[in-house]
Amino acid sequence: MNEHSQNLLERVKVLDGKSVGKSIPHDSAIGHVTGSAPYIDDLPRRVDELFVGFAGSPFAAGKIVSVELDDAQKVEGVVCVLTHNDVGPHNIFGPLFCDEPFLADGELLYIGQPLVIVAAETQAALAEGINRIVINATASEPVLSVDEAIKQKKFIGPRRQIKCGDPETAINNAPEKLSGTFYIGGQEQFYLESQAAIAFPGEQDQLIVHSSTQNTTEIQTMVAEVLGLSMHQVVCICKRMGGAFGGKETQAVIPALMVSLVAQRTGRAARIVYDKDTDMCVTGKRHAYVCNWEVGFKPDGQIVGLKCDFYSDGGAAADLSTSVMERTLLHADNSYFFEHAQFNGQVCKTNVPPNTAFRGFGGPQAVAATENIIERIAEYLKIDAFDLRLKNTYGQTDRNVTPYGQLFSGNHMSEIMETLAESSNYRHRVAKLPGRNSTDRMNLHGISMTPVKFGISFTTKFLNQANALVNVYTDGTIQVSTGGTEMGQGLNTKIRQLVADEFGVGYSSVIVMPTSTEKNNNTSPTAASAGTDLNGAAAVNGSQIIKKRLADFAAEIFASPEKGLIPSPDHIEFAGGIVSDVRQPGSGIPFSELCNRARLERIDLGARGFYKTPGVDFNRETGKGNPFLYYTQGAAVAEVSIDRFTGELTVPRVDLLMDIGKSINPKVDMGQITGGFIQGMGWVTAECLVYDEKGNLLSHSPTTYKIPAITDVPPEFNCAFFPNDDNLHCVRRSKAVGEPPLLLGVAAWAAVKNALSFLPSDHDPNLSLPATGEEILRCLTEQANG
């Protein structure tokens, strides 16, 4: 071994060992806390760059009579003022159905709907230009609720159904029956970085678009279609997002279109960044739902039949609403086996911004509706809801097929629930509730445990694919590019860990590059909790292609005919930054030296990896099939305290147990679990979207919309992983973790429901979601008067 190789060997001795399974800090953590991590609005401005904004509809519903632009065009510094007339024939777009105008044309669909784009040299000129636009329009009566949309038969897409058995007969013949209507509110994504985009014009009519988006391919596709370009003329880049939670899966399109149109028309760079009020007023949110339900059950709590009619508030256009409803129907069983069940779904059309993806994608609404039914049965039978849940949960050898016909394999639900009940001292605490509530005249207390079984995969088959570009350099360092986007969830950190272990090098030897459609084409959105499952697997696949080439080359280097050792790639080991032949102890060369020598021998050190999820196939026409590769499972116990006089709610304790397989990065995953739960708890207890009778959003800022603060985090918050390594489906036996813990926030709502059951009246107040202080106070008042 030469001196250079010896020095390299000494250097790699200090490299980390295996990366996967370690709690390596988020790769942008320092940048986040110091403010040095660049977002869209941190990118340096070009000298020719224009500020972009828009004027929106003054009415939730109506007709445009005329738009006066002359005064705006005369403002010094205003460069262009654009309407639908400047877009051309492709003004209508949409991810599923082409039904959403880019710029309003004739009909007004919601307040703030973009109508006129203004581009200017300065922010002041932009504001003045927008202020001078006069929109003459006639207002009509808007549809602002699901109930009103149902009454007027205003729907988006067809009615969908998933059914098993004969629920109508089962319910009619059941010894006990209950029915009701459950109202579920929406939720604002409230990402810290608002919608933002920059467009740079290039040669041959090309555009480079920097977008805060979960879906670079969607931006590329929509910009090309609406602006009359081909996809190869548009490149979309996303370095990172300051949060997204589903709100940037499709909603990033309109701001990207605005700057792209300006750049195309002016030949100048263009930038738009929504302020928080604008963002909240004009972008879609989690869908509000109404669920009409009917259930039949036995005196011991065994559910024999269930029917749920789900209606969602889709807003003014389809966006992803029909897909969101599909996942609702696929999660209405939650963790329970129903032999006879029918779940119907219909998206309603209203005059609010088109609602869209939000962490959980329709699953949370389904789980909340089902857990409401469980709580109602428990109240009616005067039994503990936990026992009711255990009685109805899925089995392992029987009672283990979902209403859509998928076998629930890898079922740990009962074990998770019983383990959590023991670790949280659930039964003892529940037994003390009657005494506490009878003696505490100031506060009312409740406890509930809710489980979750969340299906992992896109329910649209073709989206279950990913590609990755892996480049190994002659100094032994590695660049990885995937179609996955980093929004703070730690995707890039996990990919670095996976690739580092494939090559047996230190974590710091790998960097994940900004997501770009130039490097990764035809990609799926970073959504459905599948970012690591898909992109991580693709990166590993690309790494393995290169690793095989290097192993073949190394086998030739280490071959020793005089010792009878023929070239054997199977005996080549990559570990600790060293490549060696395990048959020759003490042998080995630094990984970097092997890479350098391989290049000199013209061995390709780059590869494109690809992965497609196996075994997923769901027929949405029949409502049958296998839409999911596997299920992430968990349960949470929440304890609440309610002020009997004001309805103020506190959550003093939460215990949570999640099965996420073998964690790639335990602390990153724990951050996702705790953060997801708190976001879910916010949805079910505090976050309330309030509109006036004209369709104006009144809760459109941090001062009027209450997301959880650090003071809302339960003082006692116990979170643990359920030990499980039987998930053979995914990379390194991991499981998706992004969305499932949010659904466990329903435990806090169920605990409120449980607390109200201790009031002396037998009248059920029909607690809606979210259980805000006002909603709880309504229930307390009704109980007192009932």
Side-chain angles (χ1 to χ4, degrees):
M1 183 179 296
N2 61 35
E3 183 179 353
H4 176 66
S5 296
Q6 185 63 45
N7 289 338
L8 285 173
L9 278 173
E10 292 300 319
R11 285 173 54 198
V12 299
K13 283 181 181 178
V14 299
L15 288 173
D16 292 337
K18 296 284 186 180
S19 294
V20 172
K22 289 186 176 181
S23 293
I24 294 173
H26 190 291
D27 72 346
S28 296
I30 294 175
H32 289 161
V33 299
T34 61
S36 61
Y39 295 90
I40 294 293
D41 206 28
D42 297 316
L43 298 180
R45 297 188 180 277
R46 281 190 7 183
V47 292
D48 68 335
E49 190 171 291
L50 298 172
F51 294 92
V52 177
F54 66 95
S57 167
F59 303 128
K63 298 288 185 182
I64 300 171
V65 176
S66 63
V67 181
E68 299 175 25
L69 307 177
D70 290 349
D71 284 350
Q73 291 169 332
K74 294 175 183 176
V75 173
E76 185 178 355
V78 168
V79 174
C80 66
V81 179
L82 306 171
T83 69
H84 69 90
N85 293 317
D86 298 291
V87 180
H90 304 290
N91 188 47
I92 308 296
F93 74 99
L96 300 177
F97 313 121
C98 286
D99 67 339
E100 181 175 357
F102 164 34
L103 297 176
D105 174 13
E107 186 178 9
L108 299 175
L109 302 176
Y110 58 91
I111 290 176
Q113 178 188 6
L115 201 151
V116 181
I117 299 171
V118 178
E121 304 279 1
T122 66
Q123 289 278 23
L126 175 64
E128 181 64 19
I130 293 172
N131 189 53
R132 291 197 186 185
I133 291 170
V134 178
I135 299 171
N136 301 304
T138 58
S140 55
E141 192 67 26
V143 175
L144 298 174
S145 71
V146 172
D147 286 338
E148 185 61 30
I150 295 171
K151 181 180 177 181
Q152 296 190 27
K153 293 184 168 57
K154 289 186 175 292
F155 301 126
I156 296 173
R159 179 175 179 268
R160 296 281 303 283
Q161 182 182 100
I162 288 178
K163 182 179 180 181
C164 63
D166 184 357
E168 188 165 346
T169 300
I171 293 171
N172 289 337
N173 294 337
E176 305 286 354
K177 305 178 189 64
L178 286 172
S179 62
T181 298
F182 184 43
Y183 288 89
I184 304 170
Q187 186 180 18
E188 163 64 36
Q189 289 90 353
F190 213 93
Y191 30 71
L192 294 181
E193 180 196 25
S194 294
Q195 300 284 353
I198 306 175
F200 299 106
E203 299 177 55
Q204 300 168 343
D205 297 324
Q206 295 176 70
L207 285 172
I208 297 175
V209 183
H210 290 262
S211 173
S212 184
T213 177
Q214 295 172 246
N215 193 347
T216 52
T217 292
E218 177 84 1
I219 299 296
Q220 178 193 28
T221 302
M222 293 297 103
V223 168
E225 287 185 2
V226 174
L227 271 60
L229 301 172
S230 299
M231 288 180 68
H232 74 308
Q233 293 174 291
V234 181
V235 174
C236 179
I237 301 170
C238 178
K239 169 65 176 175
R240 60 168 56 85
M241 289 163 278
F245 309 116
K248 296 176 180 177
E249 185 173 346
T250 58
Q251 300 275 302
V253 167
I254 285 182
L257 287 174
M258 288 182 182
V259 292
S260 296
L261 180 62
V262 169
Q264 185 186 55
R265 281 307 183 103
T266 65
R268 297 174 61 172
R271 179 184 314 229
I272 189 168
V273 180
Y274 289 5
D275 59 61
K276 180 55 68 177
D277 295 272
T278 299
D279 194 300
M280 291 185 70
C281 287
V282 305
T283 61
K285 312 179 190 317
R286 185 187 297 283
H287 298 72
Y289 271 62
V290 173
C291 175
N292 299 318
W293 57 271
E294 184 180 3
V295 64
F297 51 97
K298 297 178 181 178
D300 65 356
Q302 182 77 51
I303 295 174
V304 298
L306 175 64
K307 291 177 66 177
C308 293
D309 288 316
F310 292 100
Y311 294 92
S312 71
D313 185 346
D319 198 272
L320 295 171
S321 293
T322 54
S323 293
V324 170
M325 178 58 76
E326 178 174 271
R327 189 168 279 268
T328 295
L329 301 184
L330 291 169
H331 283 79
D333 59 323
N334 193 18
S335 302
Y336 311 113
F337 173 77
F338 300 128
E339 184 177 2
H340 303 282
Q342 180 175 317
F343 305 124
N344 303 315
Q346 179 67 67
V347 178
C348 297
K349 186 171 184 176
T350 63
N351 293 110
V352 298
N355 285 315
T356 189
F358 195 131
R359 197 173 188 175
F361 204 77
Q365 294 94 322
V367 168
T370 300
E371 295 303 333
N372 171 61
I373 294 168
I374 294 288
E375 291 289 336
R376 285 287 290 114
I377 296 172
E379 293 167 11
Y380 177 83
L381 296 175
K382 293 180 170 50
I383 62 175
D384 185 11
F386 174 68
D387 293 319
L388 187 64
R389 290 181 169 101
L390 278 180
K391 180 174 287 293
N392 287 282
T393 196
Y394 276 101
Q396 293 184 330
T397 57
D398 63 353
R399 294 170 48 84
N400 58 355
V401 178
T402 67
Y404 44 90
Q406 180 164 352
L407 177 69
F408 181 15
S409 58
N411 175 14
H412 295 281
M413 285 311 315
S414 294
E415 188 180 356
I416 289 171
M417 293 169 68
E418 289 169 342
T419 300
L420 182 60
E422 182 176 350
S423 66
S424 66
N425 202 18
Y426 174 86
R427 290 196 182 278
H428 175 71
R429 292 161 61 199
V430 166
K432 292 173 64 177
L433 282 177
R436 291 180 69 191
N437 284 322
S438 64
T439 58
D440 189 342
R441 310 311 300 166
M442 297 294 294
N443 297 293
L444 193 62
H445 307 276
I447 298 175
S448 188
M449 177 194 294
T450 60
V452 66
K453 169 185 69 67
F454 194 85
I456 305 299
S457 292
F458 287 98
T459 55
T460 299
K461 184 177 179 179
F462 80 87
L463 293 176
N464 294 290
Q465 60 175 304
N467 61 74
L469 177 64
V470 181
N471 290 326
V472 177
Y473 295 94
T474 55
D475 65 352
T477 59
I478 303 156
Q479 287 182 347
V480 184
S481 301
T482 77
T485 52
E486 177 61 56
M487 60 195 90
Q489 82 278 37
L491 172 63
N492 288 355
T493 306
K494 289 184 176 182
I495 290 175
R496 288 179 69 180
Q497 290 175 268
L498 290 166
V499 172
D501 277 12
E502 283 300 315
F503 290 107
V505 299
Y507 169 83
S508 61
S509 295
V510 183
I511 285 181
V512 177
M513 306 305 290
T515 307
S516 170
T517 55
E518 186 178 12
K519 293 174 290 185
N520 298 98
N521 62 320
N522 308 326
T523 58
S524 299
T526 306
S529 301
T532 301
D533 285 6
L534 295 175
N535 297 285
V540 166
N541 175 256
S543 300
Q544 290 173 343
I545 292 171
I546 301 170
K547 185 177 177 181
K548 184 181 184 305
R549 296 173 191 154
L550 288 172
D552 290 341
F553 178 54
E556 295 290 342
I557 293 175
F558 292 119
S560 180
E562 64 275 10
K563 296 180 181 179
L565 298 177
I566 63 172
S568 176
D570 292 339
H571 288 94
I572 300 301
E573 181 181 59
F574 294 73
I578 304 297
V579 182
S580 60
D581 187 326
V582 297
R583 299 173 300 177
Q584 302 182 58
S587 69
I589 60 174
F591 177 73
S592 57
E593 180 178 326
L594 178 65
C595 293
N596 189 52
R597 292 172 65 173
R599 193 231 178 183
L600 295 176
E601 293 299 324
R602 298 182 297 177
I603 293 172
D604 187 2
L605 296 179
R608 184 178 185 273
F610 183 77
Y611 174 80
K612 61 180 180 180
T613 307
V616 291
D617 196 10
F618 176 68
N619 187 326
R620 52 177 47 94
E621 299 303 320
T622 63
K624 299 294 181 183
N626 295 326
F628 307 119
L629 180 62
Y630 65 91
Y631 299 94
T632 293
Q633 303 159 59
V637 176
E639 178 179 343
V640 301
S641 179
I642 297 169
D643 187 304
R644 292 176 185 262
F645 300 97
T646 67
E648 182 180 2
L649 172 70
T650 57
V651 185
R653 178 175 174 179
V654 165
D655 296 79
L656 190 152
L657 184 62
M658 286 288 296
D659 166 24
I660 59 165
K662 296 190 71 172
S663 175
I664 294 172
N665 189 314
K667 287 191 177 178
V668 164
D669 285 342
M670 186 57 74
Q672 286 291 289
I673 290 172
T674 54
F677 177 86
I678 294 299
Q679 190 173 44
M681 189 180 79
W683 168 54
V684 304
T685 64
E687 298 183 39
C688 188
L689 296 166
V690 181
Y691 294 86
D692 67 14
E693 68 281 355
K694 295 181 179 180
N696 290 290
L697 179 66
L698 302 180
S699 51
H700 58 77
S701 73
T703 59
T704 53
Y705 184 80
K706 186 180 185 299
I707 64 169
I710 191 65
T711 52
D712 295 307
V713 175
E716 187 172 353
F717 195 8
N718 304 307
C719 300
F721 297 139
F722 177 78
N724 174 29
D725 65 355
D726 66 4
N727 184 36
L728 306 179
H729 305 289
C730 281
V731 59
R732 302 301 290 268
R733 299 194 178 194
S734 64
K735 281 190 174 185
V737 69
E739 294 170 295
L742 183 143
L743 283 73
L744 292 178
V746 172
W749 180 91
V752 174
K753 185 84 168 154
N754 174 252
L756 294 172
S757 72
F758 285 95
L759 294 172
S761 172
D762 288 332
H763 168 69
D764 174 55
N766 196 25
L767 178 70
S768 296
L769 185 156
T772 61
E774 295 87 345
E775 173 66 8
I776 293 172
L777 187 59
R778 177 191 68 80
C779 293
L780 291 170
T781 304
E782 283 189 13
Q783 292 282 50
N785 298 333

